[in-house]
Amino acid sequence: MIAVARKVYFKHLTTNGYSLDPLGVVVNGQHDDGRVVFEMPTLLPEEQFISAELIGLRLKRPRVTKDRARGGAFS
């Protein structure tokens, strides 16, 4: 579901730009599509809401610095 939400969200960003901050994406589980929403939606039984924060957090994975990867300490 998150992968579908990301696809819908990024398609929205490429076509409409970053002018408005959406609240999230409503994903239709039966058709693997969805729509970007700007206010809390009323969902149909086959729909699921994925928040913009969840989509963004899943994209930002923590990076390990080279010093940490080598076991180096901070001084």
Side-chain angles (χ1 to χ4, degrees), residues 6-37:
R6 283 184 188 158
K7 184 174 77 172
V8 170
Y9 183 67
F10 288 120
K11 183 177 180 182
H12 167 78
L13 290 177
T14 57
T15 57
N16 299 317
Y18 293 88
S19 61
L20 297 173
D21 290 329
L23 188 58
V25 177
V26 173
V27 176
N28 184 323
Q30 293 178 346
H31 301 289
D32 286 336
D33 65 352
R35 66 186 187 280
V36 175
V37 294

Side-chain angles (χ1 to χ4, degrees), residues 40-66:
M40 205 51 163
T42 302
L43 300 175
L44 297 173
E46 65 275 1
E47 294 179 329
Q48 190 170 21
F49 174 75
I50 309 292
S51 71
E53 289 84 19
L54 182 59
I55 296 168
L57 289 175
R58 299 282 291 178
L59 292 173
K60 296 177 185 173
R61 295 186 178 156
R63 295 183 180 215
V64 177
T65 63
K66 292 182 181 181

